[in-house]
Amino acid sequence: MRETSNPVFRSLPKQQGGYAQFGSGVAGAATQYGHQTDQYAPYLDQRAGVSRPLTIDDVVTKTGITLGVLSVAAVFSYFMVVANQALVLPFSLIGAFGGLALVMIATFARKQDSPALVLSYAVLEGLFLGAFSFLLTNFSVSSSNAGSMIGEAVLGTIGVFFGMLVVYKTGAIRVTPKFTRMLVGNLVLALFGVGHGEGLGLRSGGPLAIIFSLVCICIAAFFFLVDFDAADQMIRAGAPEKAAWGIALGLTVTLVWLYTEILRLLSYIQND
């Protein structure tokens, strides 16, 4: 399987295999990819009669649960901050650094299939997103536009997600090692600019900041192609059903990044 740029997916079990269509099901996987399922034998043996191969329904269900928890936490965080603006900083810091710590644990301790860890990440990122959304929509622009900006950012994130899923399913863009290396290189440039871009004026508003945000949005969007491919390969290889939590975590990480970039872009446009 091609190396994914998402750190959560990089820590999941690897297997060999070619390009596949996400959501194509697992019929015949035991015969066509039988040699690939050996690595999952310990999981299946430990839970004989309980574990079964991963399906697209598992991925959709676990991802939906994760995003649902994140959304509830984000709404709670936003309205708590509206009532008490002193909570902006603690919610932002606890959510951002706590979420990052859990992703690191999932990645390096290989705990990404733990429902408790994934849902805890969703709660922490929800706290961060609620506070971040309030901060960006009430201090960077007029508070009267806050609701519409957040709604536009959510719709934009959903639109990009399903748009890239269509791109992946149709094979319009092939996920190759060269494609992945290009994304990783661009990600490094986007995330590790001078002062996170502030020193270059990349986060201070204006035309340059708008262009930079558009580039980040494009990079985040293309990450979905690599992540869909990683998830697809696991389904086709007959990974255990609990691996769906790891896939949900990886997709949520990308979705959170995409939402924050779209909201930044909207704030720049509102200020112009």
Side-chain angles (χ1 to χ4, degrees):
M1 182 175 69
R2 287 166 290 279
E3 288 289 328
T4 173
S5 48
N6 190 314
V8 176
F9 284 113
R10 289 173 69 91
S11 66
L12 291 170
K14 308 296 191 298
Q15 64 275 332
Q16 301 298 319
Y19 181 81
Q21 295 297 322
F22 188 73
S24 56
V26 296
T31 55
Q32 186 176 0
Y33 295 91
H35 65 287
Q36 298 173 352
T37 61
D38 293 342
Q39 61 190 301
Y40 301 117
Y43 297 100
L44 300 176
D45 290 341
Q46 290 170 9
R47 301 185 61 191
V50 178
S51 292
R52 56 176 173 74
L54 177 68
T55 67
I56 185 60
D57 288 339
D58 295 323
V59 175
V60 172
T61 300
K62 301 306 187 295
T63 302
I65 293 173
T66 304
L67 294 178
V69 171
L70 184 146
S71 299
V72 170
V75 171
F76 169 82
S77 173
Y78 182 86
F79 285 106
M80 287 292 292
V81 170
V82 169
N84 183 3
Q85 296 184 14
L87 294 174
V88 170
L89 184 60
F91 277 11
S92 298
L93 293 179
I94 293 173
F97 288 104
L100 177 62
L102 290 183
V103 169
M104 293 298 100
I105 293 173
T107 301
F108 297 107
R110 298 185 180 277
K111 299 292 186 180
Q112 67 278 0
D113 58 357
S114 167
L117 186 147
V118 175
L119 295 180
S120 296
Y121 168 82
V123 171
L124 289 171
E125 283 302 306
L127 291 179
F128 165 72
L129 288 183
F132 177 81
S133 298
F134 175 85
L135 185 65
L136 213 60
T137 57
N138 287 270
F139 289 98
S140 297
V141 299
S142 171
S143 59
S144 61
N145 297 325
S148 61
M149 275 185 57
I150 293 174
E152 290 168 4
V154 171
L155 291 176
T157 302
I158 295 173
V160 171
F161 176 84
F162 283 105
M164 298 312 293
L165 181 57
V166 171
V167 169
Y168 180 77
K169 285 180 65 67
T170 59
I173 298 178
R174 296 293 296 270
V175 181
T176 64
K178 181 178 180 181
F179 177 82
T180 304
R181 288 194 299 270
M182 178 187 70
L183 282 184
V184 173
N186 287 329
L187 174 64
V188 171
L189 293 176
L191 295 183
F192 298 99
V194 178
H196 296 287
E198 295 290 351
L200 300 176
L202 300 180
R203 294 296 194 188
S204 57
L208 188 58
I210 291 175
I211 293 173
F212 183 71
S213 282
L214 287 171
V215 170
C216 289
I217 289 170
C218 289
I219 295 172
F222 284 122
F223 268 122
F224 283 127
L225 298 180
V226 184
D227 294 342
F228 290 154
D229 186 67
D232 189 21
Q233 295 292 343
M234 293 187 67
I235 293 172
R236 299 293 296 272
E241 60 177 311
K242 66 179 181 178
W245 286 110
I247 297 172
L249 177 60
L251 290 172
T252 302
V253 168
T254 306
L255 282 165
V256 167
W257 177 35
L258 179 62
Y259 169 81
T260 59
E261 290 298 340
I262 292 177
L263 194 61
R264 283 183 188 274
L265 175 63
L266 292 174
S267 71
Y268 298 150
I269 294 174
Q270 289 281 348
N271 281 326
D272 281 356

